[in-house]
């Protein structure tokens, strides 16, 4: 467990408010494409929110907007009450594609941001811990071209976590992983989040993952995509997929998701 290597994240945490957010993409060949419509969401500092929705509904679009990588067509995104204008040093995003720097090996990719920010304290030790956490011990000198997709995704995750973000946006970070690596990293992620108390938003297609990790589960649906429901997860951490209460919560979320899915199919 990596918990012990962290100091408490004393500095201000980040709350995220999304108000009446619309996003449209202009297409040269056809009418404007409305992706997100009237998204309203309050994420408290230190919350862990999971975003559940079908492929193509606009989940990555939403995370990119929060990260300041693209601009809303309408509405506002506020970080601690201030409007998002471009990227913000406290907000890290782990993209759906790992996006590693191809000329740097595993350890240099992980330490890249820390070196830029001159956070050199125990850097080699911390990088070593993260390499162990992601199961790549002995592979630290490999370059991105020599990694599998799942290995590259794990490096991208370590690169974000080592920077001790105040808010972390995760776009299907475990999507390419086998079940064993996935469940170990889900558990470690929750440990780190509980120790660091950063604000987390995790996008997933996987109902188990949404329930395992989220304090709140935001269900997206419809076209254009809207928030169809927000489920307050009643389960205490740490959670186990095999618990009876987990199964009960899953049944409840699945019913809601199925209902929303069928509704949006009819639209
Ligand atoms: N840069 C862009 N320009 C134009 N259209 C885009 C752009 N990015 C996304 N889209 C469109 O917006 C919609 C939502 O895409 P987005 O990538 O947000 O979906 P998603 O929910 O993350 O899907 P997945 O689960 O497959 O990753 C899609 O119809 C897509 O074609
Ligand atoms: Mg996506």
């Amino acid at each position: 467990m990596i918990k012990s290597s962290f100091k408490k994240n004393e500095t201000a945490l980040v709350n995220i408010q999304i108000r009446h957010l619309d996003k449209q993409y202009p297409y040269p060949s056809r009418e404007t494409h409305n992706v997100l419509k009237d998204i309203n969401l309050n994420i408290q500092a230190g919350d862990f929110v999971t975003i559940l929705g079908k492929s193509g509904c606009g989940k990555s679009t939403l995370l990119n907007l929060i990260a300041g990588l693209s601009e809303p067509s309408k509405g506002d995104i506020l970080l601690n009450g201030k409007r998002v204008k471009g990227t913000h040093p406290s907000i890290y995003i782990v993209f759906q594609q790992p996006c590693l720097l191809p000329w740097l090996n595993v350890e240099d990719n992980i330490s890249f941001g820390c070196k830029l920010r001159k956070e050199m304290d125990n850097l080699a030790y911390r990088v070593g811990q993260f390499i162990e956490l992601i199961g790549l011990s002995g592979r630290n000198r490999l370059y991105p071209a020599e990694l599998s997709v799942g290995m590259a995704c794990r490096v991208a995750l370590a690169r974000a976590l080592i920077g001790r973000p105040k808010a972390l946006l995760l776009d299907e970070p475990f999507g390419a992983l086998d079940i064993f690596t996935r469940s170990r990293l889900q558990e470690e992620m929750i440990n780190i989040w509980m120790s660091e108390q950063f604000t987390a938003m995790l996008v997933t297609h996987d109902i188990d993952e949404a329930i395992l990790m989220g304090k709140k589960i935001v269900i997206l649906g419809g076209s254009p995509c809207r928030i169809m429901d927000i489920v307050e997860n009643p389960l205490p951490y740490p959670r186990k997929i095999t618990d009876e209460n987990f199964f009960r919560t899953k049944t409840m979320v699945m019913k809601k998701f199925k209902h929303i899915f069928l509704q949006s199919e009819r639209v």
Side-chain angles (χ1 to χ4, degrees):
M1 210 202 282
I2 214 150
K3 213 160 107 178
S4 59
S5 73
F6 283 111
K7 287 181 238 143
K8 211 76 178 161
N9 202 352
E10 321 84 354
T11 39
L13 292 165
V14 173
N15 69 58
I16 302 167
Q17 285 174 292
I18 303 173
R19 292 191 190 145
H20 304 296
L21 178 78
D22 288 4
K23 180 66 184 177
Q24 304 169 335
Y25 288 115
Y27 280 141
S29 54
R30 59 178 168 114
E31 282 178 19
T32 310
H33 181 34
N34 296 315
V35 178
L36 300 174
K37 182 78 191 156
D38 201 26
I39 303 286
N40 290 285
L41 188 59
N42 275 332
I43 301 168
Q44 305 296 323
D47 242 354
F48 202 124
V49 173
T50 47
I51 310 279
L52 196 56
K54 284 194 327 182
S55 176
C57 75
K59 302 179 298 297
S60 298
T61 299
L62 180 61
L63 285 201
N64 289 339
L65 285 162
I66 297 169
L69 296 168
S70 98
E71 283 187 18
S73 307
K74 222 175 104 187
D76 289 311
I77 300 173
L78 308 173
L79 302 181
N80 289 344
K82 284 197 184 137
R83 203 159 170 215
V84 171
K85 280 189 193 147
T87 55
H88 191 285
S90 303
I91 312 279
Y92 288 23
I93 183 164
V94 175
F95 294 105
Q96 201 165 356
Q97 308 296 332
C99 303
L100 300 180
L101 300 170
W103 61 92
L104 296 180
N105 65 27
V106 165
E107 60 185 23
D108 290 338
N109 258 290
I110 294 174
S111 61
F112 182 75
C114 294
K115 285 180 183 161
L116 269 186
R117 294 186 300 273
K118 303 200 176 4
E119 295 165 0
M120 304 303 288
D121 269 7
N122 286 327
L123 186 57
Y125 173 73
R126 289 190 290 133
V127 170
Q129 277 206 313
F130 273 100
I131 288 177
E132 200 182 321
L133 175 90
I134 60 172
L136 289 182
S137 299
R139 315 278 177 102
N140 42 325
R141 299 283 159 118
L142 293 184
Y143 284 86
E146 299 169 303
L147 302 174
S148 73
V149 176
M151 287 157 88
C153 288
R154 284 180 270 159
V155 175
L157 188 63
R159 180 176 60 180
L161 287 171
I162 200 170
R164 304 181 67 229
K166 296 194 186 99
L168 182 59
L169 311 175
L170 301 146
D171 198 348
E172 301 187 44
F174 310 120
L177 306 183
D178 66 274
I179 181 82
F180 304 107
T181 312
R182 170 189 279 240
S183 58
R184 191 175 59 75
L185 285 181
Q186 285 168 336
E187 201 177 306
E188 288 290 357
M189 168 69 78
I190 289 297
N191 287 337
I192 293 172
W193 167 72
M194 287 174 83
S195 133
E196 286 280 289
Q197 300 168 359
F198 52 80
T199 310
M201 270 182 97
L202 180 143
V203 158
T204 182
H205 298 131
D206 179 351
I207 293 184
D208 281 344
E209 185 166 281
I211 299 168
L212 199 62
M213 309 201 73
K215 267 196 196 174
K216 284 193 187 102
I217 301 156
V218 175
I219 306 179
L220 299 180
S223 180
C225 179
R226 302 177 297 279
I227 293 181
M228 307 300 263
D229 208 340
I230 300 178
V231 180
E232 296 285 341
N233 194 335
L235 301 173
Y237 294 98
R239 298 167 180 162
K240 277 210 163 70
I241 276 178
T242 46
D243 281 355
E244 208 175 298
N245 285 339
F246 190 97
F247 186 72
R248 238 177 256 134
T249 308
K250 181 173 174 177
T251 309
M252 182 257 288
V253 174
M254 279 189 82
K255 275 187 188 157
K256 283 180 190 278
F257 196 59
K258 199 170 159 194
H259 179 68
I260 288 163
F261 181 78
L262 291 174
Q263 255 187 350
S264 52
E265 288 291 286
R266 278 189 216 115
V267 176

